Every structure is written in structure tokens, then in C-alpha cells.
Amino acid sequence: MQQLKRHGALSEVDETLLIELEHNSRRVTAGEILWQEGSDVELFCVLKAGWAYSFRYLDNGSMQILKVYLPGDIIGMRDFGFSKRLAGVAMINAGVICPFSPQHLCQLIRTSPTLAAGMVAIAVRQQAMLTERLVYIGRHTAQQRLGHFLYEIYLRLRRIGAVEEGRFQLPLSQEQLGDVLGLSAVHVSRTFSMLREEGLVLKERQEVFFPDPGALAKMVEFNTTYLDEALPPAFLSSD
Amino acid sequence: MQQLKRHGALSEVDETLLIELEHNSRRVTAGEILWQEGSDVELFCVLKAGWAYSFRYLDNGSMQILKVYLPGDIIGMRDFGFSKRLAGVAMINAGVICPFSPQHLCQLIRTSPTLAAGMVAIAVRQQAMLTERLVYIGRHTAQQRLGHFLYEIYLRLRRIGAVEEGRFQLPLSQEQLGDVLGLSAVHVSRTFSMLREEGLVLKERQEVFFPDPGALAKMVEFNTTYLDEALPPAFLSSD
DNA sequence: CGTAGGCTTGAGACCCCTCAAATACAGTGG
DNA sequence: CCACTGTATTTGAGGGGTCTCAAGCCTACG
């Protein structure tokens, strides 16, 4: 949406509607579960501060983390068009959320065609991120999977100004990283060791640093298209 | 969209717009590549007949198939909001497509809020399918992956009336199945053998039959929510 | 200072991969 | 109708990546 704004595609009414979305806000604690899989779809959220993730429990008791949300992301759009949640959502650390109702979102789509197109674009973009994960989980080694995930987070954080001197905070435990990447926590640890020995990723506590971001991007063959691309002109013209 | 229609949510104008989408049609041959990754986004398609798939080439020369399209699906929505294709699309067998332009789609969204909401819902639904694949590729055995994929295809085909007496045609080669599931073609073959020995899947040539669909669904722990769910009432009311 | 949870490291096992060869099948030309 | 050829599938053997189980360490926090 900030992309749309930058392109001057938003009317004043549009902006007012967006600001209204953030009218309410609520503090949430680390580890707090916002909702569980299967519950009714009652609200969506703008994540103002903190990290969150959506997840599914598996038969064997472990979980698969589907998506990691960073500040500025919208949580719950995944469930738009469904009556029950397809996945649970929990906070990784403490933060602030701005809940809004599905009715509110529907009204917004009805009122502003531009925002409607924007919502489609957001949904498609999230699909693009999922697609990248699918490609990387399907046929790549643990090093590439972890490296790719870290690099994606790095780019997303940089876009919101959360990378300082090439360093950023990663509040996820290795267990949680394993749940993201489909790896055991044990192997995540070994993989970090390998990436360190190769001089690609240094991690101390929750702080991550890439000595050579370019080399890492090359190793994981990162395709920036799916994250960086601007909205096409078709959005902005009315014909 | 047929879901929306069934709910009587489409006005006559909406229906006219949808029918216009299928104004043009073109025959396509088996194996024909509709577009390559990285090409300009010039058109989307309704797939009227035949199967197609979207794919990405990997470094090692193999490909990852991202999605399999069946008759009635819309091809290329993945790229809506991008200027370049994120993935190539190719036909599996011969068929018919109805191309339409991004401008046409944008106009449709601007004209009909109901259809706009429907497009969001479709995008989210495709995301839900990708999510299921992610869960299954991440942490499941080859048997569960293959079984889950076959069962999903089975349900999608049944919805469009392409399952007769519990049998359906599967035009994908084992190589292609491997590219969908992140497995080698060799292991796909072994996995079919295992599923046959367990009495879950019989396959002769391109014809597939489930002796006990319920047992298969249970083995792969299939969650029908993400495919079957009807659109929520919020779409249909105007408040 | 003690405890709990997260991280590291080691050993053995399993799933799936690669390479290779044999078999089945489809289309082609004789 | 039959040999020929290329492609798809099956089957076998060996190897590698990741898993599980288990023990030890490190850090945070009471």
C-alpha cells in the first residue's frame, strides 16, 4: 500500500480509509496466540510492532510455520474469503496490533477500486513469497533453505528500516526456524555452523550479520523480483 | 466465480463481463509453452480445456512445478501486479484457452465490486492451495506427498465433473509429478508401487483409481476446508 | 547459585537421491 | 504386420543429507 501511495495513486478518501484501519490498537505479549486454526474469522490485523507467524499443527505434534510477519504487514488476509481460520497466528515477541473487521475490509474494497486492486496485488505478492518458499523447500539443501530465508528477512527488514550497519535482530528460535524450513532444530544448528564456517552468516545471540551479502544472495540464487517489483502502470491509469 | 453465481451474487452486468472474458479462444497443442518466466505480462487466460502447469527452472537444470491448472481455472493471476512473469506456463496436453488482457481485468475490478472481492477470494484460495503443498512438501514422506496431490486433483476434477465411476485421467508423467512434489522420477515410480501394494492407488496408463478414497484421505490427512469452503455471507451483503 | 530452556555436538538409522540397466510402450517406416 | 527407435517406467545398488536419540554446554533469569 505504501507503494501505491508513493505512486500518488491514492485519493484522500483512500488514505482516510487506510488510516481508519489503524484506529484501534492493542499491545500483545511475546508468545501470545492471536487465534487458532479453525476458529471463526472475526478480525484481521495490521502488525504495528513486533514479529508474528502463522502456523499449522501436524499429525506428529510438530508445527509448520507458514509465514513470518514483520511490522507493517497485514495479518490474516490468508483467511479472507473463508469463514474459519486456515492457520493459527502467534506473536514471536511483544508488539502492537491494529485489529479491523472483515466488514471493514469489504466496505473498503467496495468503496475504492484502487484499494481493491491493491488488496489483490498484496494477496498475489504473498503468494509469490509462498511460491519462493515452495521452490526452496522442495529441492534445495538445508544451507540454501536457511540462507534464502535469512536473506528474504534481511531484505524485508531493510525496506522498513530495521537493518543497521548490515545487522538485524532475529527473534526466532532455532526450533521455530526449523518449523519454517521443514528442518529439525538440530539440523538448523548444524546449518548455522556450516554457514559460519563458510563466512556467509554470522549470528550472535539474536543478532545476524552477513559479511558478504552478495555472496549469500548468489549462493541461494536469490530472485529479488518477487519482493522489489513496483506495481505496474496499469494500476494507475483509469482506461 | 461459479460459487458466487450459485449464491446469486452476480448481477447481469457482472455475468456479461465474465462472459466477455471468454470472447476469444485459441487451440493449444500438448507441451506448448504459453509464456516463459521473465517475459512481459501481456495476458491472462481462462483454461477451457486441457491441463497446464506453471513452473520455474532451477539452477541444477531441473524444474519445479508450482501449480497444475485444470479446465475452468484462470492462468496467470499469479503475475497480476507484476510487470514480468514470475513463472513460465506450459500445456500438459492439448486444450483450449481464452486469453484476456490485464486492462480487461482491471476494468472488471473497477466496474464490479462483487467481482473484485471474488478475485481477491480466488487469489487467497490459490494461496491456500500453495500453503497445503508447502505443509506437505516440508514434513511428509513421499507417499503422503503423492497421495495428497492425487487426492487434491481428484477432488478438483470431481467438482468439474471429470471423475467417472471413481476413475480419472492423469496426463502428467512421473517426471512431471516429481517436479511437482520435489521428488525424483525414480522415487515417484517406487512410491506408486508402494501405494498400489497398500491398496490405496491403482494406476494403469494415465487412468487413476482409488479403491478406498476414504482411506487415502485419512492416510494423507486431507483437509478439505481449503477447497470446499463456500464464500462467507459477508461477500453477499452490502452493509 | 540453581534451574530451565535453548544451543551444540556425536552416533546410528532412514529416506530419498543418483547412476545404471532392464523392461514396457508408442510412433514410425519398411 | 513387423522391426526400429525414442520415451516412459520399473528395478537394483550404493551414497549422501537429514532425522532421531542422547548427552553436554551455554545463557538467561529467578
Side-chain angles (χ1 to χ4, degrees):
Chain A
M1 283 301 168
Q2 291 192 346
Q3 291 247 8
L4 277 174
K5 193 171 178 179
R6 216 172 300 139
H7 283 81
L10 299 185
S11 67
E12 288 183 19
V13 176
D14 293 342
E15 292 215 30
T16 308
L17 286 169
L18 281 181
I19 289 170
E20 271 178 27
L21 279 187
E22 303 187 2
H23 179 66
N24 299 317
S25 74
R26 185 165 78 80
R27 293 183 170 280
V28 286
T29 60
E32 182 170 338
I33 291 175
L34 300 186
W35 57 74
Q36 287 282 5
E37 179 187 348
S39 63
D40 291 339
V41 178
E42 295 163 342
L43 54 84
F44 306 124
C45 299
V46 176
L47 183 58
K48 291 282 280 186
W51 292 35
Y53 62 88
S54 59
F55 63 94
R56 290 267 301 273
Y57 290 117
L58 305 184
D59 43 321
N60 52 20
S62 68
M63 69 163 58
Q64 172 73 43
I65 292 180
L66 304 173
K67 179 168 171 56
V68 173
Y69 297 94
L70 307 182
D73 288 343
I74 296 181
I75 305 178
M77 281 296 292
R78 175 187 312 281
D79 302 310
F80 183 70
F82 291 91
S83 63
K84 305 286 185 184
R85 296 291 183 190
L86 293 175
V89 169
M91 293 300 298
I92 295 169
N93 45 17
V96 177
I97 59 172
C98 301
F100 59 92
S101 69
Q103 289 75 23
H104 196 150
L105 184 62
C106 278
Q107 181 204 337
L108 182 145
I109 289 175
R110 285 209 177 74
T111 311
S112 163
T114 308
L115 291 182
M119 299 309 295
V120 174
I122 286 178
V124 170
R125 216 153 281 245
Q126 295 210 358
Q127 192 172 319
M129 281 195 267
L130 273 175
T131 299
E132 286 298 319
R133 288 261 307 290
L134 194 65
V135 168
Y136 271 83
I137 286 187
R139 295 241 196 220
H140 289 81
T141 65
Q143 283 189 56
Q144 286 176 306
R145 290 193 225 179
L146 180 57
H148 189 270
F149 176 77
L150 292 175
Y151 197 77
E152 181 187 307
I153 292 290
Y154 164 73
L155 289 182
R156 289 170 65 194
L157 285 175
R158 205 173 56 174
R159 201 165 48 179
I160 60 173
V163 176
E164 295 182 1
E165 300 177 4
R167 293 165 202 281
F168 61 92
Q169 297 294 316
L170 182 77
L172 288 157
S173 71
Q174 295 193 351
E175 173 104 35
Q176 289 168 326
L177 284 170
D179 290 338
V180 172
L181 300 169
L183 298 170
S184 67
V186 171
H187 205 64
V188 169
S189 172
R190 287 190 226 273
T191 306
F192 265 121
S193 301
M194 288 187 276
L195 289 175
R196 191 186 329 112
E197 284 167 16
E198 293 172 20
L200 290 172
V201 175
L202 299 182
K203 179 166 180 278
E204 194 162 346
R205 305 286 258 284
Q206 297 197 337
E207 187 171 276
V208 177
F209 175 64
F210 302 152
D212 186 350
L216 180 61
K218 192 173 177 184
M219 189 276 276
V220 302
E221 291 174 5
F222 202 92
N223 178 353
T224 56
T225 315
Y226 77 97
L227 281 179
D228 285 351
E229 172 115 6
L231 294 168
F235 268 153
L236 313 172
S237 62
S238 305
D239 55 352
Chain B
M1 282 301 169
Q2 290 193 344
Q3 289 250 5
L4 277 173
K5 195 170 177 178
R6 216 173 301 138
H7 284 81
L10 299 184
S11 67
E12 288 182 19
V13 177
D14 294 341
E15 292 214 30
T16 308
L17 285 169
L18 281 181
I19 289 169
E20 270 178 26
L21 278 186
E22 302 187 2
H23 180 65
N24 299 316
S25 73
R26 185 165 78 79
R27 291 184 170 281
V28 286
T29 61
E32 182 172 337
I33 292 176
L34 300 187
W35 57 74
Q36 286 283 5
E37 178 187 348
S39 64
D40 291 340
V41 177
E42 294 163 343
L43 54 83
F44 307 124
C45 298
V46 175
L47 183 59
K48 289 282 281 185
W51 293 34
Y53 62 88
S54 59
F55 63 94
R56 291 267 301 274
Y57 291 116
L58 305 183
D59 42 320
N60 51 19
S62 69
M63 69 164 57
Q64 172 72 44
I65 292 180
L66 303 173
K67 178 168 171 59
V68 172
Y69 297 93
L70 307 181
D73 288 343
I74 297 181
I75 305 178
M77 282 295 293
R78 176 188 311 285
D79 303 311
F80 182 71
F82 291 91
S83 63
K84 305 284 184 185
R85 297 289 184 192
L86 292 175
V89 169
M91 293 300 297
I92 294 169
N93 45 15
V96 177
I97 59 173
C98 300
F100 58 92
S101 68
Q103 289 75 23
H104 196 149
L105 184 62
C106 278
Q107 183 204 336
L108 183 144
I109 288 175
R110 285 211 178 72
T111 313
S112 164
T114 308
L115 291 183
M119 297 309 294
V120 174
I122 286 179
V124 170
R125 219 153 278 247
Q126 295 210 0
Q127 193 171 318
M129 279 196 269
L130 273 176
T131 299
E132 287 297 319
R133 289 261 307 289
L134 195 65
V135 168
Y136 270 84
I137 287 188
R139 298 241 196 219
H140 289 81
T141 64
Q143 282 190 55
Q144 286 176 305
R145 290 192 225 179
L146 179 57
H148 189 270
F149 176 77
L150 292 175
Y151 197 76
E152 181 187 307
I153 293 290
Y154 165 71
L155 290 182
R156 289 170 63 194
L157 285 175
R158 205 173 55 174
R159 202 166 45 179
I160 61 175
V163 175
E164 294 182 3
E165 299 178 4
R167 293 165 203 280
F168 61 93
Q169 296 295 315
L170 183 77
L172 288 157
S173 70
Q174 296 191 354
E175 173 105 33
Q176 289 168 328
L177 284 170
D179 290 339
V180 172
L181 302 170
L183 298 170
S184 67
V186 171
H187 205 64
V188 169
S189 172
R190 287 190 225 275
T191 306
F192 265 120
S193 301
M194 287 188 278
L195 289 175
R196 189 185 335 109
E197 285 168 17
E198 292 173 20
L200 291 171
V201 175
L202 299 181
K203 179 168 179 276
E204 194 162 346
R205 300 289 255 283
Q206 296 196 340
E207 187 170 277
V208 177
F209 175 63
F210 303 151
D212 185 350
L216 181 62
K218 191 173 178 184
M219 190 274 278
V220 303
E221 292 177 4
F222 202 93
N223 178 355
T224 56
T225 314
Y226 78 98
L227 282 179
D228 285 350
E229 173 113 7
L231 295 168
F235 269 152
L236 313 171
S237 60
S238 306
D239 54 352

